Amino acid sequence: MTNIIPNISVDCVVFGFDGEYLNVLLVERALHDDSGNIVFRDHTLTGYHIDRDENLNEAAHHILKERTGLSDIYLEQVFTFGDKNRLLKERDQEWIRHLNLKIDNRTITIVYYSLIDNTKVKLTDKGDNPNWFPIHNLPELGFDHGEIIEKALEVLKIKARMEPIVFELLPEKFTLTQLQKVYEAILDTSLDRRNFRKKVAQMRFIVALNEKQKGVSHKPAQLFFFSREVYERTKKDRYLITI
Amino acid sequence: MTNIIPNISVDCVVFGFDGEYLNVLLVERALHDDSGNIVFRDHTLTGYHIDRDENLNEAAHHILKERTGLSDIYLEQVFTFGDKNRLLKERDQEWIRHLNLKIDNRTITIVYYSLIDNTKVKLTDKGDNPNWFPIHNLPELGFDHGEIIEKALEVLKIKARMEPIVFELLPEKFTLTQLQKVYEAILDTSLDRRNFRKKVAQMRFIVALNEKQKGVSHKPAQLFFFSREVYERTKKDRYLITI
């Protein structure tokens, strides 16, 4: 990253689901003075300035890998943030001066998002101390990254209602309780169990197996799987709002 | 626009509906040599580099107004295009050299879109000859603006299925045939009349009036209106894909 463009960056909002809660991947931003004493410490999304020779999505993948070790995950563009005052808070200015990166105050950032099972990936600390934080208990955030997370969450909620993305967070065989938990975590709401099951029953792509849970202390529940084939062949043009 | 940022621009994809077809607003790009002879002429979206002191959406509104006269229209961010080769075609390079604008080859552009009734607005020609072109019969386009229009169209189709945006293109009182035509134009498909009417009958926010068309030569059709109140009060959380 020797040839960065000083006024264009990418930021990645990686959402992780752990079976119960929705989390966000953050890295640490710690500013030390010349004697090595800490001036401040907070957190930011994984991001950096793009390289002159990279496409935008290449930059997102490259930066995520370099700072957290995550690779080969699906990233999708969400939104671009470029308000003229977005880097002008005192702490952010101090950080920019300290790094001496010749970053332009008028930096715009292209935001990417992702949704993964965060129990299945391993983070690599290359000095930024990357970690998962529950969406409802985020630490203090630098820049406008709080707003960015909010926007990405809004997009995630819409996507979860439109596309079968939740199944990527579930084991191949899942119970309806597990399925309900994913939706509840993403939509940040509690759903009525009976209504939820009625709706699921109408979705022919969620298919019951001839199998029940094993090794559980409670009454074993019915297992289901997501059939992409059925989904592709039964989804209709969603051209009118009836839901 | 004296203080532009040379590597950040905005482009506006303004879709217009004229009662029958979907159109796109384009401006002319004509390069003349020193003797005033035309070197090439093609079309582009309305766009320009942002000013150092403008927010992104401010820039979109300002540039659209300056080049076409359109003001006070709703613009929404779609996507950001920033591939490293997006300005390297010979003709685009020639254009950039000619303008002597010191535009950076690595320009990224933030795309905004809009949907309006193009029979109701008046364009002002400030030298760029702005005009509406049917989406199925676009002239030769500069830069990557063909790809940009495709992406915006994709987003428009999704929006039209999720939000009641089509009603902004219709008169306050409309017939079901008019409503079907809007959907057909946006979704670029022909819809079965009976199926369409069955679905519409389920949407309580499309309300029949005690009124029929007047002054038509054929049998006057029933008139309807879109009730935003009913829409807001009957729309449910669209949290599961069942359409």
Side-chain angles (χ1 to χ4, degrees), chain B residues 17-63:
Chain B
F17 180 68
D18 58 16
E20 289 283 338
Y21 299 108
L22 195 64
N23 305 292
V24 181
L25 178 63
L26 300 174
V27 291
E28 211 172 80
R29 176 175 80 156
L31 184 66
H32 297 85
D33 64 19
D34 294 342
S35 338
N37 297 318
I38 194 101
V39 182
F40 69 78
R41 189 200 312 265
D42 56 15
H43 287 80
T44 67
L45 294 165
T46 305
Y48 202 69
H49 290 260
I50 71 168
D51 200 278
R52 187 156 286 277
D53 302 320
E54 291 176 315
N55 286 335
L56 302 176
N57 57 347
E58 287 166 0
H61 281 281
H62 150 212
I63 291 162

Side-chain angles (χ1 to χ4, degrees), chain B residues 25 44 78 114 116 121 136 160-161 236 240:
Chain B
L25 178 63
T44 67
V78 182
S114 186
I116 61 177
V121 294
H136 284 303
R161 286 167 175 153
K236 294 191 212 134
L240 293 174

